[in-house]
Structure formats: C-alpha cells, structure tokens
Amino acid sequence: MSSTVIRNARVFCRNQLVHSDVLIESGTIAKIGSVRAGEQEIDARGRLLLPGAIDVHVHFRDLEEAYKEDWYSGSCAAAAGGVTTVIDQPNTKPPVCDEQSYFRKLRAARKSVVDYGINAAIERLEQLDDLWGLGVMAFGEVFIQEKTHEELQHALQTIKRLNAVLCVHAEKRVGEISSEAAGIRTLFACNKEIGAKVHVSHLSEASGLDFVKGSGQDVSCEVTPHHLFLSKLDQARLGPFGMMNPPLRSRQDVDTLWSRLSHIDMIASDHAPHSIADKRMSHPPPGVPGVQTLLPLLLSRLDRIGLKRLVDLVSVAPATRFNLKNKGAIVKGYDADLILVDPNDKKMITPSMLHSKCGWTPFEGSVAVFPSLTMVRGEVVFSEGSITLKKGWGSQVCGAGSRRLN
Ligand code: DOR
Ligand code: ZN
C-alpha cells in the first residue's frame, strides 16, 4: 500500500486549523495526527492544508470544440487553481442528452487529471431515467428561456422522482435587458407543487438572491468569481473579454453579493472558454474562463471571507448538495484531494500562468493566491507551477442514482 505523509502543515480540519501530520494511504486520508514515517514525505513548511475545491460549473468543450478547451487543458487549469473535482455542463457539441452522447463525453473526459462529474441535458425526457442510472451527476444547466412551462414541469417531475438536482440558468433576456429574478420566479412557480431539488446557477443580481432565500423550496445557488470581482464598470476595459451570460452587473449588485455572502451556498466558475479569435469576431460568443482563478481570487480575500466560510463555499457545500461521497473535507477515510497554500504568497495573474487553451483571462492583473501543490486522491497533480502527472489520472464521480459502484 503506497503511503505519503504531509508534515508541518496547518491542517483545516473540523472547522479549525491544527498543527498536525497527515497520513495518506492508497489515495485516502488515513490519519490526522502524529505519523512516524511514510514512503514519501512532503514538507508543507507551515502552509495551510485545505480540501481541494469542487467547481460545480465548468464547460470543458472538447469533442467538436476542442480548439477552445479539451479535458486535458481544462483539467490542468483546474489542478493549477486548486480544483480537484469539476462538474461539466451538457451544452457541448454534441450535447449530452442520451446514452450515446453521454459515453462520448466520458471517453473525452478520460484525459482529465482531476476528478469529474458529468451533467446531462433534459432535451430528451424519456432518457432521464437511463442517464441517471448511468451515473450523471445532475441535470442541466437548463436555459430557462428556452423551455416552456410544460417542458420544465415534465422534467421537474422526473427529477423529483429520481431525487436528482436540476441546475438552472435562470436569466431571461429581452433585447439588452437581462433579468434573473423573472426566471427564478418562473422556476419556482413550475416547481411549487412538484418540490424537486433545484440549483440556481451563476446567480448575479441582488434581487435574485432575495427570491432564492424567501422561496421555501429545496434550492441552492452558486455565484461566480466574475460577478464578485468584476462589475459593469470593467466592461469597457474588457470589451468582448468581459462578455458573458448573465452579464457583469452594477457595482451595487456586486457589493450586495459580498455583503450577503452568508446567504450564498457555493462559488463556481462557469468556466466558459472561447478562443481569442472567437472573441474578436463581430458577434463574439458569451463566456469567460475561470476554473484556474476561482480559488486563488477568493484566497486573496481571506481577510473578508474567512477560512471556514471559504471552505464551505468551495468544498463542503458543493460536495453535500451534489452528493459527492468522501470529498469536500479533510476527514479520515475521505479522498486525499488536498491543496497546500501560503496565504501570503500573493501574485498578479498573468496569461503565462494559464493552462486553459483559450490563453486569456478577464482577471489579468488581479491579485491571487495560487496553491503550491494540488493532490487528487493522494497523487500530486500540480506542484510549484507545473503539472506533474500524465493525462488521465482523473476519475469519474457518479451521481447518487448510479447503478455502477463509484
Ligand atoms: O456566458 C456563458 N457562456 N454563459 C453560459 O451560461 C454558457 C456559457 C458557454 O457555454 O459558453
Ligand atoms: Zn449558464
């Protein structure tokens, strides 16, 4: 049995920092306490040892849009940013909506260096039971604007029966006006009698947050780093590189999201890479990359967020809501998905640090704290700026309905 000991770390365990060794055996946290010797030793030199982040909203493209991102480049970006598990959205080309497209996505995902869950679309309702049994993590993100109430309700009924989660892109657009509150209201009206679990993706407006919190429904929500660290005021500077759906919001919305961080369940990147050439077209596609900068940006504001809240937002809550067993915390018996961080090691984000194929970031010049080491199930995937493992270390994390063993 392979074993590794991490020494001299300040370990975030049971909501506090403890000075302790951590023993990892066969990819699992075997002991938090004093350890004699392991086959491999890692000296943390006083850094923080935290659970890896779980990014529940990435678009890793691949297949017909592999020139924008593929599972290797996307997952390297994740690892370099301290993300040890990603959940991929189904709006790829082709979309994941049946058994065939699901297995096609899974074959592409074999290149991943981090663990992954695969979401499926609700385009073909008669397929949802099979997809759930095959191991999809959740359904959606569903673009609410593209669905009739009837379609939404049929999907919600099945999702309720399966005890799955429906992720919803709740923004509704009329011309230049983008409103999330309207879409959230539609979602809750459709779900009122059904009571399925729903998840509001990339919530960006203060009014949307009011609806979510007052609904009484089984609902969770995520906010992106770009809606916390950028606002409409950055739009002119960024041009197409600051365009995404939902769009950047007012300074007031941003301030409200920060002040109500305790009402937000999780932070996810909505990593949606497009090439520089695509972004320079006359009608640039919406979306910005973010999986590598998600956690480093948040770590640069530990003074405001606090360590416990940060770990809840990026690790504990995603694992709990999406039912990722043995992930999201430093607990004996859990997967050794771990990162080492020096909170004082602040760096400016530059394109040369990025692993995404797209090669740009809307956060260029922002201050961030990158992990010095990222470990997935006990193997070091990223260390001191470099990817250290070959393609394919990542493994699928199946949803709760999986007929296969995880
Ligand atoms: O800006 C966006 N881009 N928002 C989305 O919801 C989808 C994403 C994409 O896939 O490019
Ligand atoms: Zn979306």
Side-chain angles (χ1 to χ4, degrees):
M1 188 173 7
S2 66
S3 69
T4 302
V5 188
I6 302 177
R7 296 198 192 278
N8 301 320
R10 288 179 290 150
V11 184
F12 190 78
C13 170
R14 296 204 188 109
N15 291 330
Q16 56 180 341
L17 285 175
V18 291
H19 287 266
S20 172
D21 303 331
V22 174
L23 173 67
I24 296 153
E25 283 175 347
S26 304
T28 301
I29 299 167
K31 185 174 180 188
I32 304 159
S34 73
V35 179
R36 285 225 192 102
E39 285 165 18
Q40 286 180 61
E41 301 255 337
I42 295 174
D43 183 355
R45 287 180 278 141
R47 293 181 181 125
L48 303 179
L49 186 72
L50 307 178
I54 297 166
D55 187 347
V56 305
H57 193 145
V58 305
H59 300 266
F60 274 179
R61 314 296 188 204
D62 218 324
L63 304 172
E64 287 164 34
E65 289 188 317
Y67 74 97
K68 294 182 193 241
E69 194 79 288
D70 64 34
W71 273 90
Y72 183 62
S73 57
S75 65
C76 287
V83 170
T84 48
T85 304
V86 294
I87 301 183
D88 187 61
Q89 304 301 315
N91 69 334
T92 28
K93 288 188 184 155
V96 176
C97 58
D98 57 17
E99 192 172 323
Q100 196 190 3
S101 50
Y102 172 71
F103 281 115
R104 220 177 140 194
K105 170 81 64 100
L106 274 184
R107 279 195 296 277
R110 280 193 205 141
K111 298 192 279 291
S112 184
V113 297
V114 300
D115 286 354
Y116 48 89
I118 304 293
N119 279 8
I122 57 163
E123 269 20 79
R124 298 183 55 191
L125 279 180
E126 80 288 357
Q127 297 286 320
L128 302 194
D129 281 77
D130 280 351
L131 284 164
W132 186 237
L134 288 169
V136 308
M137 189 54 107
F139 293 96
E141 64 172 333
V142 170
F143 293 81
I144 205 156
Q145 184 146 327
E146 295 168 6
K147 297 280 164 226
T148 64
H149 286 207
E150 207 185 5
E151 285 168 335
L152 210 51
Q153 280 183 318
H154 282 149
L156 285 163
Q157 272 154 0
T158 305
I159 283 161
K160 168 74 181 172
R161 176 168 50 74
L162 297 174
N163 198 22
V165 178
L166 182 68
C167 304
V168 180
H169 180 129
E171 177 201 19
K172 283 188 174 176
R173 270 182 179 259
V174 185
E176 288 298 292
I177 312 267
S178 152
S179 164
E180 226 157 42
I184 296 174
R185 202 179 298 149
T186 303
L187 171 66
F188 289 163
C190 290
N191 194 33
K192 193 161 183 264
E193 309 290 321
I194 301 167
K197 287 186 204 165
V198 291
H199 176 75
V200 178
S201 302
H202 42 52
L203 191 124
S204 61
E205 288 179 308
S207 55
L209 193 55
D210 289 335
F211 274 121
V212 166
K213 287 298 124 182
S215 70
Q217 301 215 0
D218 188 346
V219 55
S220 51
C221 68
E222 80 196 24
V223 170
T224 70
H226 47 269
H227 292 118
L228 285 172
F229 287 86
L230 300 170
S231 78
K232 257 189 204 160
L233 301 176
D234 297 289
Q235 188 66 70
R237 174 175 66 82
L238 292 168
F241 298 95
M243 277 172 50
M244 74 296 285
N245 293 331
L248 295 178
R249 301 295 190 186
S250 71
R251 196 61 242 173
Q252 207 182 350
D253 274 313
V254 173
D255 290 344
T256 308
L257 291 181
W258 273 104
S259 65
R260 296 183 62 189
L261 213 52
S262 59
H263 293 160
I264 292 165
D265 297 292
M266 57 194 94
I267 308 217
S269 70
D270 191 10
H271 179 81
H274 296 287
S275 70
I276 291 177
D278 286 351
K279 279 292 197 184
R280 291 205 170 126
M281 292 189 309
S282 51
H283 294 290
V288 295
V291 71
Q292 191 175 340
T293 45
L294 160 82
L295 185 63
L297 285 167
L298 296 170
L299 283 167
S300 79
R301 293 311 316 270
L302 262 187
D303 55 328
R304 177 140 197 205
I305 306 169
L307 193 53
K308 174 181 165 10
R309 187 75 197 116
L310 175 66
V311 172
D312 276 347
L313 285 165
V314 300
S315 302
V316 178
T320 307
R321 182 61 168 170
F322 292 96
N323 215 345
L324 276 75
K325 292 267 180 330
N326 300 332
K327 290 197 183 289
I330 302 183
V331 174
K332 186 179 169 191
Y334 274 37
D335 289 351
D337 294 347
L338 302 168
I339 60 171
L340 279 176
V341 169
D342 174 358
N344 298 317
D345 185 14
K346 295 195 172 171
K347 288 199 173 72
M348 222 153 66
I349 299 175
T350 61
S352 65
M353 300 169 171
L354 303 172
H355 291 260
S356 168
K357 272 192 190 176
C358 76
W360 60 275
T361 167
F363 302 109
E364 187 173 346
S366 297
V367 174
V369 176
F370 286 90
S372 57
L373 179 142
T374 302
M375 181 183 267
V376 176
R377 281 174 290 103
E379 294 291 331
V380 177
V381 174
F382 171 83
S383 176
E384 307 296 347
S386 300
I387 297 294
T388 49
L389 267 196
K390 287 201 292 277
K391 285 181 186 179
W393 174 245
S395 167
Q396 188 190 6
V397 185
C398 289
S402 173
R403 289 191 295 265
R404 294 196 289 135
L405 287 177
N406 258 323

